[in-house]
Amino acid sequence: MQTHNLGYPRIGSRRELKKACEKYWSGQISQQELFKQGYAIKADNWRLQQRAGIDWVPSNDFSYYDQVLDHCLMVGAIPDRYHAILVEKKKHELDLYFAMARGYQRDGLDVKAMEMTKWFDTNYHYIVPEFQKNQQFELFSEKVIHEFEEAKVQGILTKPVLLGPVSFLLLGKEKDSEFDRIDLLDNLLPVYLKVLEKLVGYGAEWVQFDEPFLALSLSGKEQAAMRKTYALIKKAFPHLKTMVATYFGGLDAHLGLAAELPVCALHVDLVRAPHQLGSLLDLLRPKMSLSLGLVDGRNVWRNDFQASLDLIRRAVDKLGSDRVWVAPSCSLLHVPCDLELENGLDTEIKGWLAFAKQKIEEVVLLQRIGSHIALDQVDLERIPWLGQTLEQNRRYLTNRSNSTRIHNEAVKASLASVLPSHSQRSSPYAERHKLQAEALALPIFPTTTIGSFPQTKEVRQWRARYKKGELSLADYENLLKAETERCVRWQDELGLDVLVHGEFERNDMVEYFGEQLEGFAFTTNGWVQSYGSRCVKPPIIYGDVSRKHPMTVDWTVFAQSLTRRPMKGMLTGPITILQWSFVRNDQPRKDTCFQIALAIREEVSDLEQAGIRVIQIDEPALREGLPLKASEWPDYLDWAVTAFRLSASVVGDHTQIHTHMCYSEFNDIISHIAAMDADVITIECSRSQMELLDAFAAYEYPNEIGPGVYDIHAPRIPSSEEMIELMEKAIRVVPKERLWVNPDCGLKTRGWEETQRALEEMVKAADGLRAKFALKAEM
């Protein structure tokens, strides 16, 4: 029985990669210094897994920005607009790579970044490949080969990880006249074969192909593409051992397809879909090994050894131990690095958890115990470590299930008392709109921002000093008030129509709220990559959730006192708090979400009573929470929309409710977004050049929309003319009277200088639009 891992966190246990990349982008370190830091992280990860006892350690799971972008470079899927960076400016491959991810605005070039969206139902964002009709591919980047060599020099024969050719194509977008991107497979496969030829030449024995789309619905053509791909690879490299890895769900309708692929091993997610094991054992091709994804790569809870061993026993009884592998359910990219770094975490709660390093140890322990799979025949006295390990695991699980910290009867009673009327606004949007227009007196094309403003080094230092006890609470709050006042005054002078307070008191849009809610625990170093160098520290929801006290009212009221313009109250919605936390797995997610919704509802009510007339409840995670199987969508969308409405519907008609969503495809769920009944929705549109607005137009979305005209995830500063051009595209599909002008997301990660310049251009664009349409009205 062998062990392997699908991927390890690449940010470094203390976010070393984030810091190095940002220093490189700002010119503080050289390319060689960045590569040195990257190599150190890779080597540490390889050695850690080898020491733990993993038989097949992955390589090419490291990335300086995104693994899908890595594959774009590998196969030469580089949009034409970036070629000048290499040809004319003679920049290095790495600069081209970062330009594709972040845009490029120097040396006389102004090139936009590629689109970015969510990786299946996770909070990780990937760069979306762009495909043209009849596109040709070529081997451009040999990163996968270099990293295999690097590990081999360290004495570690790794299992290189490649995104499967079919999933790579399906993750992209057609950017040309109508064609099916899967038709590019014949052009793409020769490059993959060339990569495999080089890997085999350097001594690779196993190669892992990630094909997560096998857990989704595939057309007949896409299924045929899967068969063709792996038949061709098998024919070209009959002695190479290949594994196809699926995750995030069960194979279901594709069980037969996956089980018949001509590969040496198939990996399946038995955390999300344990039900598929029986059918797989019956269908699996002779001699094919089965990798059991038993340790949860998406959540932080300690593994239930007995439940995992039951699955191992079933597999071994059918296949024999030599055809069974043990692994995490998916790449460990989605969990923090090391629980041992959490010295401040409550001891009892810490005993319930496992991070990436501990999950690797769990995989190895399961394999060791699984080798004694007939547990009822084992004399535990002769193998004391085995009995002790099982007993310790059972004790931790029992402690968690029996802990009085988990259950709050008052919260359960509040949830039981919720009525359908609690999730309904008093009047329909058309009636509310009239009252809000009169109360707020906003111009056509009203301007606003999404919420946060730049968190400077000084602001972060104040927070760190306060947490260390070097600043008193009064001194800390006075510094934050001064920063808030500066931000509000600047917005006022600039001429933004609806202001925000800047959120300088907040460490994160989810963590900040979790810290003020019961049922949440927090880490010090529990960082997880969201995109590029952006890392988040998800809270851990371990028990029933309730609000202890008002969370945002004082800061919002203070900011409103500084201006006569409307000040938005800024909240994170229940679905996003749920999705961007590590959620308890001992009750339905729906119940936890409704508990959060009731807490946010209390905050919304307090904001309105304090005189705040515009309240934004952000829900960027609504789409990412959508189950991968379409058959499961109706149930999720029903409770997710109800949770949002429950949090928002406590206000009167004159109070304007906003929500925000970003980096999602909306076509499939547009009717449910409309059912949320927010007065204004702001969405990301700039990277897609307003393509994402098409869904709202086709549906004839009835409420107001703010299509983002400024991509905040890149340092590039758009001109007012560019923003006007984007808004004119929006006007073609949405009545101008219902359009807002805003960035596509919060500005926390940007610098003040670029933020000020970009927002000045944005206000200038709004003024230009108003003048243009006023002139048309006069004519």
Side-chain angles (χ1 to χ4, degrees):
M1 192 183 305
Q2 303 220 37
T3 57
H4 76 112
N5 182 28
L6 281 75
Y8 201 80
R10 61 232 189 178
I11 57 174
S13 59
R14 299 187 185 276
R15 295 182 295 161
E16 292 90 342
L17 184 63
K18 166 192 171 65
K19 296 166 187 174
C21 282
E22 291 177 353
K23 285 182 178 179
Y24 176 71
W25 295 336
S26 64
Q28 297 179 53
I29 64 172
S30 68
Q31 188 178 103
Q32 287 307 115
E33 289 172 303
L34 175 60
F35 286 152
K36 182 179 179 180
Q37 181 63 75
Y39 177 77
I41 294 171
K42 287 181 280 187
D44 285 348
N45 289 351
W46 292 327
R47 287 192 292 263
L48 181 151
Q49 294 172 81
Q50 185 188 51
R51 285 195 301 267
I54 293 293
D55 294 312
W56 289 100
V57 174
S59 62
N60 200 44
D61 55 333
F62 176 85
S63 176
Y64 283 101
Y65 201 96
D66 166 55
Q67 71 271 12
V68 183
L69 180 60
D70 292 346
H71 283 72
C72 288
L73 254 72
M74 182 183 82
V75 302
I78 303 166
D80 290 343
R81 64 184 181 275
Y82 298 104
H83 288 179
I85 295 171
L86 280 177
V87 177
E88 295 178 19
K89 301 304 175 184
K90 298 181 180 178
K91 295 292 183 181
H92 188 273
E93 176 183 311
L94 185 69
D95 296 305
L96 167 68
Y97 175 81
F98 285 137
M100 292 167 71
R102 307 175 70 240
Y104 191 93
Q105 197 174 36
R106 60 183 184 273
D107 304 323
L109 290 178
D110 186 358
V111 187
K112 297 174 185 175
M114 294 173 69
E115 191 174 341
M116 184 163 64
T117 195
K118 294 293 178 71
W119 176 253
F120 297 91
D121 59 349
T122 75
N123 186 33
Y124 178 78
H125 305 63
Y126 75 93
I127 299 297
V128 181
E130 299 179 12
F131 299 126
Q132 306 285 338
K133 190 174 183 180
N134 299 320
Q135 180 165 340
Q136 300 300 305
F137 301 95
E138 63 177 343
L139 179 57
F140 181 83
S141 169
E142 298 190 0
K143 170 184 175 292
V144 57
I145 295 127
H146 297 326
E147 292 189 4
F148 177 78
E149 288 183 272
E150 288 173 348
K152 196 172 179 182
V153 169
Q154 291 284 321
I156 305 173
L157 186 64
T158 59
K159 166 173 57 70
V161 178
L162 289 170
L163 182 56
V166 178
S167 288
F168 174 69
L169 290 173
L170 293 178
L171 285 165
K173 274 189 173 182
E174 297 92 346
K175 305 297 285 187
D176 205 344
S177 56
E178 289 188 10
F179 74 101
D180 188 342
R181 56 194 182 278
I182 204 68
D183 291 336
L184 297 174
L185 183 66
D186 287 343
N187 294 350
L188 178 64
L189 284 176
V191 181
Y192 270 80
L193 295 178
K194 190 172 290 186
V195 169
L196 293 176
E197 182 182 8
K198 287 179 175 287
L199 286 172
V200 168
Y202 282 104
E205 295 183 11
W206 276 95
V207 175
Q208 172 184 319
F209 293 92
D210 284 3
E211 292 284 10
F213 275 89
L214 277 167
L216 278 68
S217 297
L218 293 174
S219 68
K221 182 191 288 188
E222 291 159 357
Q223 293 178 52
M226 285 284 184
R227 294 188 183 94
K228 178 176 183 177
T229 293
Y230 293 99
L232 182 62
I233 290 172
K234 179 66 175 176
K235 181 179 180 181
F237 302 97
H239 303 297
L240 176 65
K241 298 173 184 176
T242 53
M243 172 183 288
V244 164
T246 70
Y247 38 79
F248 300 157
L251 292 166
D252 297 340
H254 303 317
L255 274 166
L257 167 63
E260 293 172 1
L261 290 175
V263 294
C264 300
L266 175 68
H267 172 84
V268 292
D269 185 339
L270 295 183
V271 174
R272 283 279 183 95
H275 63 272
Q276 65 184 322
L277 180 60
S279 298
L280 269 170
L281 293 175
D282 292 335
L283 293 170
L284 209 63
R285 210 168 39 77
K287 298 186 180 181
M288 183 190 286
S289 296
L290 184 62
S291 167
L292 311 180
L294 299 171
V295 174
D296 194 347
R298 292 282 299 274
N299 215 330
V300 293
W301 305 107
R302 183 182 288 267
N303 185 263
D304 182 341
F305 279 5
Q306 194 57 61
S308 294
L309 289 168
D310 289 344
L311 297 172
I312 291 176
R313 180 186 289 108
R314 291 175 60 193
V316 169
D317 286 348
K318 186 78 172 182
L319 304 177
S321 60
D322 60 327
R323 290 176 61 195
V324 175
W325 292 42
V326 181
S329 61
C330 62
S331 169
L332 298 176
L333 168 72
H334 309 288
V335 295
C337 290
D338 188 359
L339 187 62
E340 293 175 5
L341 299 177
E342 300 303 324
N343 297 321
L345 192 61
D346 178 274
T347 304
E348 181 182 21
I349 295 173
K350 189 174 180 179
W352 304 340
L353 306 177
F355 291 176
K357 181 181 178 184
Q358 290 69 43
K359 289 178 183 293
I360 289 294
E361 294 165 357
E362 288 183 328
V363 167
V364 174
L365 279 172
L366 286 171
Q367 181 270 340
R368 291 183 66 193
I369 300 171
S371 67
H372 303 277
I373 198 63
L375 294 180
D376 53 339
Q377 300 174 13
V378 171
D379 183 354
L380 296 182
E381 292 184 0
R382 292 180 55 200
I383 313 175
W385 70 266
L386 192 154
Q388 292 166 5
T389 300
L390 289 174
E391 174 57 25
Q392 183 186 52
N393 180 259
R394 186 197 63 77
R395 190 166 59 247
Y396 277 124
L397 296 177
T398 302
N399 171 272
R400 180 184 169 205
S401 63
N402 294 338
S403 176
T404 57
R405 306 171 71 168
I406 289 178
H407 303 289
N408 184 324
E409 294 307 318
V411 174
K412 298 182 193 301
S414 295
L415 192 57
S417 67
V418 171
L419 301 172
S421 59
H422 292 154
S423 57
Q424 300 293 326
R425 295 289 293 270
S426 301
S427 305
Y429 165 75
E431 295 179 24
R432 302 195 308 262
H433 172 71
K434 295 174 184 176
L435 295 173
Q436 293 164 16
E438 183 178 343
L440 299 174
L442 298 174
I444 190 173
F445 302 114
T447 55
T448 190
T449 62
I450 303 305
S452 59
F453 265 71
Q455 290 230 347
T456 61
K457 181 180 179 181
E458 290 75 21
V459 171
R460 296 194 299 272
Q461 287 176 341
W462 298 338
R463 185 177 299 117
R465 290 178 60 198
Y466 168 64
K467 288 183 176 180
K468 291 177 183 177
E470 298 173 4
L471 273 180
S472 68
L473 176 61
D475 288 341
Y476 176 56
E477 289 188 342
N478 284 336
L479 288 168
L480 293 179
K481 283 184 176 179
E483 190 75 3
T484 301
E485 182 169 1
R486 183 171 79 89
C487 178
V488 172
R489 301 286 189 209
W490 182 81
Q491 293 175 76
D492 225 341
E493 292 170 6
L494 178 62
L496 287 168
D497 299 305
V498 176
L499 312 189
V500 298
H501 75 287
E503 304 180 13
F504 303 109
E505 77 285 2
R506 305 184 188 185
N507 45 10
D508 176 80
M509 67 180 291
V510 172
E511 187 176 23
Y512 175 79
F513 290 95
E515 286 175 341
Q516 302 180 78
L517 295 168
E518 296 284 0
F520 283 74
F522 304 91
T523 62
T524 304
N525 293 291
W527 297 101
V528 176
Q529 185 180 24
S530 178
Y531 67 88
S533 68
R534 171 72 170 149
C535 300
V536 294
K537 194 149 52 70
I540 299 166
I541 305 178
Y542 66 85
D544 288 334
V545 176
S546 61
R547 190 182 74 144
K548 295 182 280 191
H549 49 69
M551 300 179 283
T552 65
V553 176
D554 288 347
W555 285 107
T556 310
V557 169
F558 167 70
Q560 182 65 83
S561 72
L562 303 172
T563 179
R564 298 178 64 183
R565 299 177 191 264
M567 176 64 60
K568 272 197 290 192
M570 296 300 306
L571 304 173
T572 303
I575 300 104
T576 299
I577 292 178
L578 182 86
Q579 286 293 127
W580 292 0
S581 300
F582 292 119
V583 183
R584 59 190 293 190
N585 58 359
D586 61 335
Q587 72 175 15
R589 291 172 69 88
K590 168 185 174 180
D591 294 351
T592 304
C593 192
F594 275 31
Q595 291 177 0
I596 301 169
L598 288 177
I600 299 299
R601 180 183 176 90
E602 293 176 12
E603 189 72 12
V604 169
S605 178
D606 284 350
L607 282 168
E608 184 183 48
Q609 291 178 33
I612 303 303
R613 292 292 170 257
V614 181
I615 301 172
Q616 181 168 309
I617 307 172
D618 286 343
E619 285 294 17
L622 177 77
R623 177 62 176 81
E624 92 181 31
L626 197 66
L628 300 184
K629 297 287 193 298
S631 61
E632 299 171 10
W633 288 9
D635 179 62
Y636 164 76
L637 289 167
D638 177 66
W639 65 254
V641 170
T642 301
F644 176 84
R645 294 182 65 135
L646 182 61
S647 70
S649 296
V650 66
V651 298
D653 290 346
H654 57 281
T655 298
Q656 190 174 76
I657 294 291
H658 290 224
T659 191
H660 171 67
M661 298 179 186
C662 57
Y663 297 104
S664 296
E665 299 290 343
F666 301 114
N667 302 59
D668 295 329
I669 62 167
I670 187 64
S671 62
H672 299 278
I673 293 175
M676 293 168 70
D677 200 26
D679 298 299
V680 181
I681 180 172
T682 52
I683 61 172
E684 180 275 325
C685 269
S686 56
R687 284 202 180 195
S688 69
Q689 294 293 296
M690 293 291 164
E691 284 180 13
L692 293 179
L693 202 58
D694 292 344
F696 291 83
Y699 180 76
E700 296 184 355
Y701 184 78
N703 300 8
E704 296 169 60
I705 306 175
V709 295
Y710 158 36
D711 173 21
I712 70 87
H713 294 85
R716 181 179 171 276
I717 299 167
S719 66
S720 59
E721 291 80 9
E722 182 179 322
M723 296 184 194
I724 288 173
E725 183 179 340
L726 288 174
M727 285 302 296
E728 286 177 337
K729 288 183 179 180
I731 292 166
R732 293 174 200 150
V733 293
V734 177
K736 62 182 182 301
E737 294 78 13
R738 291 196 281 113
L739 285 170
W740 287 59
V741 182
N742 46 262
D744 63 11
C745 206
L747 298 161
K748 175 183 176 180
T749 60
R750 303 267 51 97
W752 262 107
E753 181 182 356
E754 65 183 90
T755 293
Q756 289 174 333
R757 288 171 57 197
L759 291 183
E760 286 167 359
E761 292 295 313
M762 191 183 83
V763 170
K764 184 178 175 183
D767 288 341
L769 288 165
R770 291 166 190 159
K772 181 174 183 176
F773 283 93
L775 181 61
K776 284 187 177 181
E778 291 175 5
M779 296 173 62

